[in-house]
Amino acid sequence: MASKYILGSLAGSFVIAYVCDTLMSDHKIFGGTTPSTVLNKEWWAETDKKFQAWPRTAGPPVVMNPISRQNFIIKSADDS
């Protein structure tokens, strides 16, 4: 009995979220415009080309701790 209310309210909340997202992002009900850099496919291609052309330099191996988001440099036993 309670599951139909839970599922109905869950589906209703998804519909409300979709409508709000569409109104705000696509129809721009609060004003604003989409930046030309987002609309221009040539800009995307040039930006991607620039990022791929950056020189890659090697450094010491680094492990990222996903919990604290701090980088730690790993030293081998020979370095200490």
Side-chain angles (χ1 to χ4, degrees):
M1 182 74 152
S3 63
K4 72 176 181 178
Y5 293 116
I6 293 171
L7 293 176
S9 61
L10 184 64
S13 65
F14 280 118
V15 168
I16 290 171
Y18 175 77
V19 168
C20 290
D21 179 56
T22 303
L23 285 174
M24 288 182 214
S25 62
D26 295 340
H27 297 294
K28 308 271 186 226
I29 61 171
F30 295 120
T33 58
T34 304
S36 62
T37 54
V38 173
L39 297 173
N40 188 351
K41 301 297 179 197
E42 294 169 356
W43 185 88
W44 280 107
E46 287 297 321
T47 303
D48 188 45
K49 195 184 313 180
K50 177 185 135 185
F51 282 129
Q52 297 303 324
W54 280 0
R56 306 285 193 232
T57 57
V62 173
V63 172
M64 185 159 189
N65 183 350
I67 296 172
S68 65
R69 299 284 187 210
Q70 294 177 354
N71 293 333
F72 297 99
I73 296 176
I74 299 175
K75 296 182 179 179
S76 64
D78 300 336
D79 294 341
S80 28

